[in-house]
Amino acid sequence: MKDLVEQLVKGDRLNASDLGQLLRCAAQDSAVLQLLRDNAVRTARQQFGLGIYIRGLIELSSFCRSNCLYCGLRRDNRSAERYRLTQEEVLQCCKEGYNLGFRTFVLQGGEDGTHSDEWLEMLICQMRSLYPDVAITLSLGERSEASYIRLKRAGANRYLLRHEAANKELYASLHPDGKGIEHRLACAEALQRAGYQLGLGMMIGVKGQTIEHLVEDLLLIERMQPQMVGIGPFLPHKSTPLGTEPAGDLNLTLATIAIVRLMLPKALIPSTTALASLTPRGRLEGILSGANVVMPNLSPSDVRAKYAIYENKASWGKEAAEGLSALEEELSTIGYHIDWSRGDYNID
Ligand code: SAH
Ligand code: SF4
């Protein structure tokens, strides 16, 4: 396995069978996992030092017309509590976030049919004029190419659209009434054409996912060269069809993050809220596998519990904007600190 890790470190491409072998070994053999993670951490430190970028996450709406089997916000979950923030509430979050030191705001939400281009354009324009120096990231799912272009012109910079599953059959099984992986990827390509910094990614351990599927995900990520990659464990939500499935495996998640770091040394990789929700040390373990971003929750406190994509989602303490000092303290236990800059993808 050592030579496979060395090849990755050198920037050589691994074929599907080598990637599969590496993932399988790393998930089972702690020495292989440690070797992978040590190299990923070294690569991340060469790129970013000991600084961790922060992004303020604003959860715009829990309404969703989509019906992803794994997600608590899915259309058919009648017990989900739905809310939608007003523009004033979002701008209030930005004000608080800006004062706390955030220089990236992430507007994330379900695919809410009331979020027209006009509505979003107006919101983004206001954010852009009030805070000219921040990065605005969107994570609002699948929209038309014209819509992506319009929101980019209004001032958005980045877009998180996890591909979820590169494998056609797996994607279809998780989104039985969705538009298919071809459409998801067409959206990702439209975002790249529009000039966004793009984020792809997937859950680890979702029902039906095999190591071979994960290899397909890794090869897609290598091919599309996204600027951001979000990877976290699947976590069950009881009011979804996958509610009794087990959560994703920690070690396999860490191994996947480490491989992505070695494949894309400059990528912005969050230590995800799902990882922090899986296990108390999850956030640190992600960073110690090559992640370099955390996304504390900046949503108004009364709506946080309602944005339940999975159960027991961390949105307080170190996962919350108001807990930045606790986060700083936690990072310091492994020698890291918050990097307060905007944290754009470095193109040179
Ligand atoms: N509606 C948008 C953005 C919000 S969902 C979209 O789907 O793109 C953000 C991410 O949460 C999804 O991309 C998915 O990968 C993740 N997610 C949803 N349900 C999850 C679960 N049960 N466990 C872990 N991650 C989940
Ligand atoms: Fe909606 Fe996103 Fe959840 Fe799918 S993952 S149901 S699109 S919020």
Side-chain angles (χ1 to χ4, degrees), residues 188-235:
E189 283 161 12
L191 288 163
Q192 287 184 317
R193 275 195 297 278
Y196 285 90
Q197 295 174 35
L198 173 68
L200 296 180
M202 64 283 182
M203 283 169 274
I204 306 297
V206 70
K207 188 178 184 208
Q209 183 190 59
T210 63
I211 294 285
E212 282 63 40
H213 291 144
L214 277 179
V215 169
E216 287 185 54
D217 291 320
L218 290 171
L219 293 174
L220 175 81
I221 288 168
E222 186 177 61
R223 177 166 66 77
M224 289 197 59
Q225 297 278 309
Q227 285 77 17
M228 303 169 281
V229 186
I231 294 170
F234 160 74
L235 296 172

mmCIF file of all heavy atoms in Angstrom, residues 188-235:
data_model
loop_
_atom_site.group_PDB
_atom_site.id
_atom_site.type_symbol
_atom_site.label_atom_id
_atom_site.label_comp_id
_atom_site.label_asym_id
_atom_site.label_seq_id
_atom_site.Cartn_x
_atom_site.Cartn_y
_atom_site.Cartn_z
ATOM 1 N N ALA A 188 -23.561 20.886 -12.810
ATOM 2 C CA ALA A 188 -22.197 21.179 -12.325
ATOM 3 C C ALA A 188 -21.370 21.815 -13.443
ATOM 4 O O ALA A 188 -20.620 22.774 -13.215
ATOM 5 C CB ALA A 188 -21.536 19.901 -11.813
ATOM 6 N N GLU A 189 -21.524 21.304 -14.649
ATOM 7 C CA GLU A 189 -20.765 21.870 -15.775
ATOM 8 C C GLU A 189 -21.243 23.280 -16.110
ATOM 9 O O GLU A 189 -20.445 24.160 -16.438
ATOM 10 C CB GLU A 189 -20.861 20.940 -16.987
ATOM 11 C CG GLU A 189 -19.937 19.733 -16.821
ATOM 12 C CD GLU A 189 -20.284 18.557 -17.722
ATOM 13 O OE1 GLU A 189 -21.112 18.734 -18.650
ATOM 14 O OE2 GLU A 189 -19.735 17.468 -17.494
ATOM 15 N N ALA A 190 -22.556 23.496 -16.003
ATOM 16 C CA ALA A 190 -23.086 24.850 -16.241
ATOM 17 C C ALA A 190 -22.508 25.832 -15.219
ATOM 18 O O ALA A 190 -22.175 26.975 -15.552
ATOM 19 C CB ALA A 190 -24.612 24.833 -16.170
ATOM 20 N N LEU A 191 -22.361 25.364 -13.989
ATOM 21 C CA LEU A 191 -21.785 26.224 -12.948
ATOM 22 C C LEU A 191 -20.335 26.558 -13.262
ATOM 23 O O LEU A 191 -19.895 27.696 -13.097
ATOM 24 C CB LEU A 191 -21.885 25.525 -11.582
ATOM 25 C CG LEU A 191 -23.298 25.453 -10.997
ATOM 26 C CD1 LEU A 191 -23.378 24.423 -9.883
ATOM 27 C CD2 LEU A 191 -23.744 26.820 -10.484
ATOM 28 N N GLN A 192 -19.600 25.562 -13.741
ATOM 29 C CA GLN A 192 -18.198 25.829 -14.115
ATOM 30 C C GLN A 192 -18.136 26.828 -15.263
ATOM 31 O O GLN A 192 -17.348 27.763 -15.240
ATOM 32 C CB GLN A 192 -17.493 24.515 -14.513
ATOM 33 C CG GLN A 192 -17.193 23.625 -13.311
ATOM 34 C CD GLN A 192 -16.397 22.365 -13.683
ATOM 35 O OE1 GLN A 192 -16.683 21.720 -14.690
ATOM 36 N NE2 GLN A 192 -15.428 22.009 -12.859
ATOM 37 N N ARG A 193 -18.998 26.633 -16.267
ATOM 38 C CA ARG A 193 -19.015 27.570 -17.406
ATOM 39 C C ARG A 193 -19.354 28.990 -16.959
ATOM 40 O O ARG A 193 -18.833 29.957 -17.490
ATOM 41 C CB ARG A 193 -20.071 27.136 -18.446
ATOM 42 C CG ARG A 193 -19.595 26.116 -19.435
ATOM 43 C CD ARG A 193 -20.562 26.032 -20.620
ATOM 44 N NE ARG A 193 -21.900 25.594 -20.239
ATOM 45 C CZ ARG A 193 -22.270 24.322 -20.053
ATOM 46 N NH1 ARG A 193 -21.400 23.350 -20.241
ATOM 47 N NH2 ARG A 193 -23.503 24.019 -19.699
ATOM 48 N N ALA A 194 -20.261 29.086 -15.986
ATOM 49 C CA ALA A 194 -20.670 30.411 -15.519
ATOM 50 C C ALA A 194 -19.581 31.089 -14.694
ATOM 51 O O ALA A 194 -19.708 32.256 -14.341
ATOM 52 C CB ALA A 194 -21.962 30.300 -14.705
ATOM 53 N N GLY A 195 -18.529 30.347 -14.368
ATOM 54 C CA GLY A 195 -17.399 30.946 -13.659
ATOM 55 C C GLY A 195 -17.434 30.807 -12.151
ATOM 56 O O GLY A 195 -16.686 31.478 -11.441
ATOM 57 N N TYR A 196 -18.299 29.958 -11.643
ATOM 58 C CA TYR A 196 -18.311 29.704 -10.195
ATOM 59 C C TYR A 196 -17.134 28.837 -9.800
ATOM 60 O O TYR A 196 -16.680 27.990 -10.588
ATOM 61 C CB TYR A 196 -19.563 28.912 -9.803
ATOM 62 C CG TYR A 196 -20.857 29.666 -9.783
ATOM 63 C CD1 TYR A 196 -21.649 29.735 -10.918
ATOM 64 C CD2 TYR A 196 -21.329 30.257 -8.611
ATOM 65 C CE1 TYR A 196 -22.877 30.399 -10.902
ATOM 66 C CE2 TYR A 196 -22.553 30.911 -8.585
ATOM 67 C CZ TYR A 196 -23.320 30.987 -9.722
ATOM 68 O OH TYR A 196 -24.528 31.626 -9.700
ATOM 69 N N GLN A 197 -16.656 28.986 -8.573
ATOM 70 C CA GLN A 197 -15.837 27.946 -7.961
ATOM 71 C C GLN A 197 -16.837 26.864 -7.555
ATOM 72 O O GLN A 197 -17.831 27.143 -6.878
ATOM 73 C CB GLN A 197 -15.115 28.481 -6.727
ATOM 74 C CG GLN A 197 -14.088 29.566 -7.066
ATOM 75 C CD GLN A 197 -13.465 30.197 -5.820
ATOM 76 O OE1 GLN A 197 -13.252 29.549 -4.814
ATOM 77 N NE2 GLN A 197 -13.184 31.491 -5.907
ATOM 78 N N LEU A 198 -16.576 25.652 -7.994
ATOM 79 C CA LEU A 198 -17.562 24.567 -7.849
ATOM 80 C C LEU A 198 -17.190 23.611 -6.714
ATOM 81 O O LEU A 198 -16.034 23.249 -6.558
ATOM 82 C CB LEU A 198 -17.624 23.781 -9.171
ATOM 83 C CG LEU A 198 -18.469 22.500 -9.155
ATOM 84 C CD1 LEU A 198 -19.963 22.824 -9.004
ATOM 85 C CD2 LEU A 198 -18.237 21.675 -10.431
ATOM 86 N N GLY A 199 -18.218 23.195 -5.986
ATOM 87 C CA GLY A 199 -18.021 22.154 -4.975
ATOM 88 C C GLY A 199 -18.791 20.898 -5.333
ATOM 89 O O GLY A 199 -20.004 20.955 -5.550
ATOM 90 N N LEU A 200 -18.090 19.774 -5.408
ATOM 91 C CA LEU A 200 -18.749 18.469 -5.575
ATOM 92 C C LEU A 200 -18.626 17.711 -4.250
ATOM 93 O O LEU A 200 -18.059 18.238 -3.298
ATOM 94 C CB LEU A 200 -18.075 17.668 -6.698
ATOM 95 C CG LEU A 200 -18.145 18.227 -8.121
ATOM 96 C CD1 LEU A 200 -17.410 17.287 -9.073
ATOM 97 C CD2 LEU A 200 -19.596 18.416 -8.563
ATOM 98 N N GLY A 201 -19.126 16.483 -4.241
ATOM 99 C CA GLY A 201 -18.954 15.679 -3.030
ATOM 100 C C GLY A 201 -20.011 14.613 -2.897
ATOM 101 O O GLY A 201 -20.916 14.520 -3.734
ATOM 102 N N MET A 202 -19.864 13.817 -1.854
ATOM 103 C CA MET A 202 -20.794 12.701 -1.643
ATOM 104 C C MET A 202 -20.779 12.282 -0.178
ATOM 105 O O MET A 202 -19.852 12.622 0.563
ATOM 106 C CB MET A 202 -20.416 11.511 -2.528
ATOM 107 C CG MET A 202 -19.072 10.872 -2.254
ATOM 108 S SD MET A 202 -17.708 11.854 -2.928
ATOM 109 C CE MET A 202 -16.296 10.840 -2.512
ATOM 110 N N MET A 203 -21.822 11.544 0.181
ATOM 111 C CA MET A 203 -21.857 10.944 1.508
ATOM 112 C C MET A 203 -21.116 9.622 1.471
ATOM 113 O O MET A 203 -21.067 8.968 0.440
ATOM 114 C CB MET A 203 -23.300 10.636 1.880
ATOM 115 C CG MET A 203 -24.077 11.818 2.303
ATOM 116 S SD MET A 203 -25.800 11.358 2.396
ATOM 117 C CE MET A 203 -26.256 11.630 0.727
ATOM 118 N N ILE A 204 -20.612 9.208 2.623
ATOM 119 C CA ILE A 204 -19.971 7.900 2.714
ATOM 120 C C ILE A 204 -20.926 6.971 3.463
ATOM 121 O O ILE A 204 -21.426 7.317 4.535
ATOM 122 C CB ILE A 204 -18.634 7.995 3.502
ATOM 123 C CG1 ILE A 204 -17.725 9.061 2.891
ATOM 124 C CG2 ILE A 204 -17.960 6.624 3.576
ATOM 125 C CD1 ILE A 204 -17.270 8.822 1.487
ATOM 126 N N GLY A 205 -21.166 5.812 2.875
ATOM 127 C CA GLY A 205 -21.941 4.787 3.579
ATOM 128 C C GLY A 205 -23.433 4.856 3.367
ATOM 129 O O GLY A 205 -24.201 4.239 4.112
ATOM 130 N N VAL A 206 -23.862 5.569 2.348
ATOM 131 C CA VAL A 206 -25.298 5.603 2.084
ATOM 132 C C VAL A 206 -25.713 4.245 1.503
ATOM 133 O O VAL A 206 -24.894 3.525 0.917
ATOM 134 C CB VAL A 206 -25.630 6.781 1.119
ATOM 135 C CG1 VAL A 206 -25.130 6.536 -0.283
ATOM 136 C CG2 VAL A 206 -27.121 7.107 1.139
ATOM 137 N N LYS A 207 -26.977 3.895 1.717
ATOM 138 C CA LYS A 207 -27.455 2.551 1.338
ATOM 139 C C LYS A 207 -27.126 2.195 -0.120
ATOM 140 O O LYS A 207 -27.404 2.979 -1.029
ATOM 141 C CB LYS A 207 -28.967 2.488 1.539
ATOM 142 C CG LYS A 207 -29.486 1.087 1.350
ATOM 143 C CD LYS A 207 -30.967 0.999 1.594
ATOM 144 C CE LYS A 207 -31.355 -0.465 1.481
ATOM 145 N NZ LYS A 207 -32.709 -0.629 1.062
ATOM 146 N N GLY A 208 -26.536 1.022 -0.301
ATOM 147 C CA GLY A 208 -26.248 0.532 -1.650
ATOM 148 C C GLY A 208 -24.878 0.931 -2.160
ATOM 149 O O GLY A 208 -24.428 0.432 -3.192
ATOM 150 N N GLN A 209 -24.181 1.818 -1.439
ATOM 151 C CA GLN A 209 -22.877 2.294 -1.920
ATOM 152 C C GLN A 209 -21.781 1.267 -1.634
ATOM 153 O O GLN A 209 -21.658 0.793 -0.512
ATOM 154 C CB GLN A 209 -22.536 3.605 -1.208
ATOM 155 C CG GLN A 209 -21.241 4.258 -1.660
ATOM 156 C CD GLN A 209 -20.875 5.413 -0.722
ATOM 157 O OE1 GLN A 209 -20.694 5.220 0.479
ATOM 158 N NE2 GLN A 209 -20.807 6.609 -1.256
ATOM 159 N N THR A 210 -21.017 0.930 -2.655
ATOM 160 C CA THR A 210 -19.897 -0.002 -2.485
ATOM 161 C C THR A 210 -18.584 0.773 -2.642
ATOM 162 O O THR A 210 -18.593 1.943 -3.049
ATOM 163 C CB THR A 210 -19.934 -1.089 -3.576
ATOM 164 O OG1 THR A 210 -19.764 -0.436 -4.851
ATOM 165 C CG2 THR A 210 -21.244 -1.872 -3.572
ATOM 166 N N ILE A 211 -17.490 0.081 -2.370
ATOM 167 C CA ILE A 211 -16.171 0.698 -2.577
ATOM 168 C C ILE A 211 -16.012 1.083 -4.058
ATOM 169 O O ILE A 211 -15.471 2.140 -4.388
ATOM 170 C CB ILE A 211 -15.043 -0.273 -2.131
ATOM 171 C CG1 ILE A 211 -15.098 -0.487 -0.626
ATOM 172 C CG2 ILE A 211 -13.671 0.222 -2.598
ATOM 173 C CD1 ILE A 211 -14.582 0.652 0.229
ATOM 174 N N GLU A 212 -16.522 0.233 -4.928
ATOM 175 C CA GLU A 212 -16.397 0.531 -6.371
ATOM 176 C C GLU A 212 -17.139 1.827 -6.722
ATOM 177 O O GLU A 212 -16.688 2.610 -7.550
ATOM 178 C CB GLU A 212 -16.929 -0.632 -7.217
ATOM 179 C CG GLU A 212 -15.977 -1.813 -7.328
ATOM 180 C CD GLU A 212 -15.679 -2.507 -5.995
ATOM 181 O OE1 GLU A 212 -16.616 -2.665 -5.170
ATOM 182 O OE2 GLU A 212 -14.502 -2.869 -5.771
ATOM 183 N N HIS A 213 -18.290 2.042 -6.077
ATOM 184 C CA HIS A 213 -19.006 3.303 -6.297
ATOM 185 C C HIS A 213 -18.162 4.489 -5.840
ATOM 186 O O HIS A 213 -18.084 5.521 -6.516
ATOM 187 C CB HIS A 213 -20.336 3.312 -5.543
ATOM 188 C CG HIS A 213 -21.353 2.349 -6.092
ATOM 189 N ND1 HIS A 213 -22.228 1.659 -5.290
ATOM 190 C CD2 HIS A 213 -21.618 1.981 -7.356
ATOM 191 C CE1 HIS A 213 -22.999 0.898 -6.053
ATOM 192 N NE2 HIS A 213 -22.649 1.076 -7.313
ATOM 193 N N LEU A 214 -17.525 4.335 -4.683
ATOM 194 C CA LEU A 214 -16.688 5.437 -4.176
ATOM 195 C C LEU A 214 -15.513 5.707 -5.113
ATOM 196 O O LEU A 214 -15.110 6.856 -5.296
ATOM 197 C CB LEU A 214 -16.159 5.106 -2.774
ATOM 198 C CG LEU A 214 -17.104 5.397 -1.610
ATOM 199 C CD1 LEU A 214 -16.459 4.992 -0.292
ATOM 200 C CD2 LEU A 214 -17.454 6.888 -1.591
ATOM 201 N N VAL A 215 -14.981 4.651 -5.701
ATOM 202 C CA VAL A 215 -13.905 4.832 -6.674
ATOM 203 C C VAL A 215 -14.419 5.658 -7.859
ATOM 204 O O VAL A 215 -13.736 6.574 -8.334
ATOM 205 C CB VAL A 215 -13.357 3.457 -7.142
ATOM 206 C CG1 VAL A 215 -12.441 3.627 -8.345
ATOM 207 C CG2 VAL A 215 -12.625 2.760 -5.992
ATOM 208 N N GLU A 216 -15.634 5.370 -8.290
ATOM 209 C CA GLU A 216 -16.209 6.183 -9.384
ATOM 210 C C GLU A 216 -16.333 7.641 -8.958
ATOM 211 O O GLU A 216 -16.106 8.556 -9.758
ATOM 212 C CB GLU A 216 -17.590 5.638 -9.788
ATOM 213 C CG GLU A 216 -17.539 4.332 -10.563
ATOM 214 C CD GLU A 216 -18.927 3.917 -11.049
ATOM 215 O OE1 GLU A 216 -19.612 4.718 -11.712
ATOM 216 O OE2 GLU A 216 -19.327 2.774 -10.734
ATOM 217 N N ASP A 217 -16.706 7.858 -7.705
ATOM 218 C CA ASP A 217 -16.789 9.241 -7.207
ATOM 219 C C ASP A 217 -15.420 9.915 -7.259
ATOM 220 O O ASP A 217 -15.295 11.059 -7.706
ATOM 221 C CB ASP A 217 -17.301 9.258 -5.756
ATOM 222 C CG ASP A 217 -18.765 8.852 -5.644
ATOM 223 O OD1 ASP A 217 -19.559 9.270 -6.510
ATOM 224 O OD2 ASP A 217 -19.106 8.113 -4.705
ATOM 225 N N LEU A 218 -14.404 9.183 -6.805
ATOM 226 C CA LEU A 218 -13.051 9.763 -6.790
ATOM 227 C C LEU A 218 -12.573 10.084 -8.204
ATOM 228 O O LEU A 218 -11.981 11.136 -8.446
ATOM 229 C CB LEU A 218 -12.069 8.801 -6.106
ATOM 230 C CG LEU A 218 -12.262 8.642 -4.590
ATOM 231 C CD1 LEU A 218 -11.398 7.497 -4.050
ATOM 232 C CD2 LEU A 218 -11.914 9.942 -3.860
ATOM 233 N N LEU A 219 -12.861 9.194 -9.131
ATOM 234 C CA LEU A 219 -12.413 9.442 -10.514
ATOM 235 C C LEU A 219 -13.167 10.620 -11.140
ATOM 236 O O LEU A 219 -12.598 11.399 -11.902
ATOM 237 C CB LEU A 219 -12.564 8.167 -11.356
ATOM 238 C CG LEU A 219 -11.618 7.013 -10.936
ATOM 239 C CD1 LEU A 219 -11.928 5.734 -11.709
ATOM 240 C CD2 LEU A 219 -10.141 7.400 -11.120
ATOM 241 N N LEU A 220 -14.432 10.759 -10.788
ATOM 242 C CA LEU A 220 -15.196 11.917 -11.280
ATOM 243 C C LEU A 220 -14.600 13.222 -10.724
ATOM 244 O O LEU A 220 -14.418 14.207 -11.453
ATOM 245 C CB LEU A 220 -16.670 11.802 -10.849
ATOM 246 C CG LEU A 220 -17.513 13.026 -11.201
ATOM 247 C CD1 LEU A 220 -17.951 12.991 -12.664
ATOM 248 C CD2 LEU A 220 -18.732 13.155 -10.306
ATOM 249 N N ILE A 221 -14.287 13.195 -9.434
ATOM 250 C CA ILE A 221 -13.702 14.384 -8.797
ATOM 251 C C ILE A 221 -12.359 14.720 -9.450
ATOM 252 O O ILE A 221 -12.072 15.879 -9.757
ATOM 253 C CB ILE A 221 -13.561 14.143 -7.269
ATOM 254 C CG1 ILE A 221 -14.956 14.182 -6.620
ATOM 255 C CG2 ILE A 221 -12.627 15.158 -6.618
ATOM 256 C CD1 ILE A 221 -15.010 13.674 -5.196
ATOM 257 N N GLU A 222 -11.573 13.699 -9.718
ATOM 258 C CA GLU A 222 -10.277 13.923 -10.369
ATOM 259 C C GLU A 222 -10.475 14.526 -11.763
ATOM 260 O O GLU A 222 -9.773 15.444 -12.179
ATOM 261 C CB GLU A 222 -9.532 12.593 -10.468
ATOM 262 C CG GLU A 222 -8.129 12.703 -10.987
ATOM 263 C CD GLU A 222 -7.438 11.341 -10.968
ATOM 264 O OE1 GLU A 222 -7.923 10.406 -11.649
ATOM 265 O OE2 GLU A 222 -6.431 11.216 -10.261
ATOM 266 N N ARG A 223 -11.489 14.030 -12.464
ATOM 267 C CA ARG A 223 -11.727 14.510 -13.829
ATOM 268 C C ARG A 223 -12.270 15.937 -13.833
ATOM 269 O O ARG A 223 -11.851 16.770 -14.624
ATOM 270 C CB ARG A 223 -12.730 13.562 -14.518
ATOM 271 C CG ARG A 223 -13.127 13.980 -15.921
ATOM 272 C CD ARG A 223 -13.819 12.845 -16.659
ATOM 273 N NE ARG A 223 -15.111 12.468 -16.086
ATOM 274 C CZ ARG A 223 -16.230 13.149 -16.243
ATOM 275 N NH1 ARG A 223 -16.245 14.266 -16.938
ATOM 276 N NH2 ARG A 223 -17.359 12.736 -15.693
ATOM 277 N N MET A 224 -13.188 16.243 -12.920
ATOM 278 C CA MET A 224 -13.832 17.568 -12.966
ATOM 279 C C MET A 224 -13.050 18.656 -12.231
ATOM 280 O O MET A 224 -13.347 19.839 -12.387
ATOM 281 C CB MET A 224 -15.264 17.489 -12.444
ATOM 282 C CG MET A 224 -16.147 16.743 -13.431
ATOM 283 S SD MET A 224 -17.913 16.969 -13.191
ATOM 284 C CE MET A 224 -18.179 18.711 -13.356
ATOM 285 N N GLN A 225 -12.077 18.245 -11.407
ATOM 286 C CA GLN A 225 -11.219 19.219 -10.715
ATOM 287 C C GLN A 225 -12.020 20.343 -10.032
ATOM 288 O O GLN A 225 -11.776 21.533 -10.290
ATOM 289 C CB GLN A 225 -10.240 19.844 -11.718
ATOM 290 C CG GLN A 225 -9.270 18.845 -12.348
ATOM 291 C CD GLN A 225 -8.078 18.548 -11.445
ATOM 292 O OE1 GLN A 225 -7.415 19.449 -10.948
ATOM 293 N NE2 GLN A 225 -7.810 17.281 -11.212
ATOM 294 N N PRO A 226 -12.977 19.984 -9.176
ATOM 295 C CA PRO A 226 -13.715 21.044 -8.474
ATOM 296 C C PRO A 226 -12.790 21.776 -7.489
ATOM 297 O O PRO A 226 -11.785 21.212 -7.044
ATOM 298 C CB PRO A 226 -14.790 20.267 -7.715
ATOM 299 C CG PRO A 226 -14.177 18.927 -7.470
ATOM 300 C CD PRO A 226 -13.338 18.641 -8.689
ATOM 301 N N GLN A 227 -13.140 23.016 -7.170
ATOM 302 C CA GLN A 227 -12.333 23.786 -6.216
ATOM 303 C C GLN A 227 -12.634 23.365 -4.772
ATOM 304 O O GLN A 227 -11.841 23.594 -3.880
ATOM 305 C CB GLN A 227 -12.629 25.287 -6.367
ATOM 306 C CG GLN A 227 -12.031 25.938 -7.589
ATOM 307 C CD GLN A 227 -12.796 25.634 -8.865
ATOM 308 O OE1 GLN A 227 -13.941 25.191 -8.850
ATOM 309 N NE2 GLN A 227 -12.160 25.866 -9.999
ATOM 310 N N MET A 228 -13.845 22.793 -4.567
ATOM 311 C CA MET A 228 -14.259 22.395 -3.209
ATOM 312 C C MET A 228 -14.803 20.972 -3.262
ATOM 313 O O MET A 228 -15.421 20.587 -4.263
ATOM 314 C CB MET A 228 -15.360 23.337 -2.703
ATOM 315 C CG MET A 228 -14.936 24.802 -2.717
ATOM 316 S SD MET A 228 -16.295 25.960 -2.431
ATOM 317 C CE MET A 228 -17.082 26.011 -4.009
ATOM 318 N N VAL A 229 -14.584 20.215 -2.194
ATOM 319 C CA VAL A 229 -15.124 18.852 -2.146
ATOM 320 C C VAL A 229 -15.675 18.591 -0.742
ATOM 321 O O VAL A 229 -14.919 18.617 0.236
ATOM 322 C CB VAL A 229 -14.063 17.780 -2.482
ATOM 323 C CG1 VAL A 229 -14.724 16.400 -2.559
ATOM 324 C CG2 VAL A 229 -13.340 18.089 -3.783
ATOM 325 N N GLY A 230 -16.983 18.352 -0.659
ATOM 326 C CA GLY A 230 -17.621 18.091 0.635
ATOM 327 C C GLY A 230 -17.880 16.601 0.811
ATOM 328 O O GLY A 230 -18.586 15.998 0.007
ATOM 329 N N ILE A 231 -17.294 16.042 1.867
ATOM 330 C CA ILE A 231 -17.453 14.598 2.109
ATOM 331 C C ILE A 231 -17.801 14.393 3.574
ATOM 332 O O ILE A 231 -17.100 14.876 4.464
ATOM 333 C CB ILE A 231 -16.148 13.853 1.785
ATOM 334 C CG1 ILE A 231 -15.867 13.941 0.280
ATOM 335 C CG2 ILE A 231 -16.216 12.389 2.238
ATOM 336 C CD1 ILE A 231 -14.494 13.452 -0.109
ATOM 337 N N GLY A 232 -18.895 13.680 3.819
ATOM 338 C CA GLY A 232 -19.261 13.380 5.206
ATOM 339 C C GLY A 232 -19.940 12.036 5.255
ATOM 340 O O GLY A 232 -20.357 11.501 4.225
ATOM 341 N N PRO A 233 -20.069 11.480 6.458
ATOM 342 C CA PRO A 233 -20.760 10.195 6.573
ATOM 343 C C PRO A 233 -22.259 10.370 6.343
ATOM 344 O O PRO A 233 -22.815 11.430 6.661
ATOM 345 C CB PRO A 233 -20.499 9.793 8.026
ATOM 346 C CG PRO A 233 -20.324 11.100 8.745
ATOM 347 C CD PRO A 233 -19.661 12.028 7.760
ATOM 348 N N PHE A 234 -22.909 9.367 5.791
ATOM 349 C CA PHE A 234 -24.373 9.335 5.789
ATOM 350 C C PHE A 234 -24.836 9.217 7.232
ATOM 351 O O PHE A 234 -24.268 8.450 8.008
ATOM 352 C CB PHE A 234 -24.875 8.117 4.981
ATOM 353 C CG PHE A 234 -26.289 7.745 5.325
ATOM 354 C CD1 PHE A 234 -27.354 8.520 4.876
ATOM 355 C CD2 PHE A 234 -26.567 6.652 6.140
ATOM 356 C CE1 PHE A 234 -28.671 8.211 5.225
ATOM 357 C CE2 PHE A 234 -27.872 6.328 6.492
ATOM 358 C CZ PHE A 234 -28.922 7.109 6.033
ATOM 359 N N LEU A 235 -25.858 9.977 7.598
ATOM 360 C CA LEU A 235 -26.454 9.865 8.929
ATOM 361 C C LEU A 235 -27.954 9.684 8.751
ATOM 362 O O LEU A 235 -28.586 10.442 8.015
ATOM 363 C CB LEU A 235 -26.169 11.139 9.748
ATOM 364 C CG LEU A 235 -24.695 11.417 10.055
ATOM 365 C CD1 LEU A 235 -24.525 12.785 10.701
ATOM 366 C CD2 LEU A 235 -24.117 10.335 10.972
#
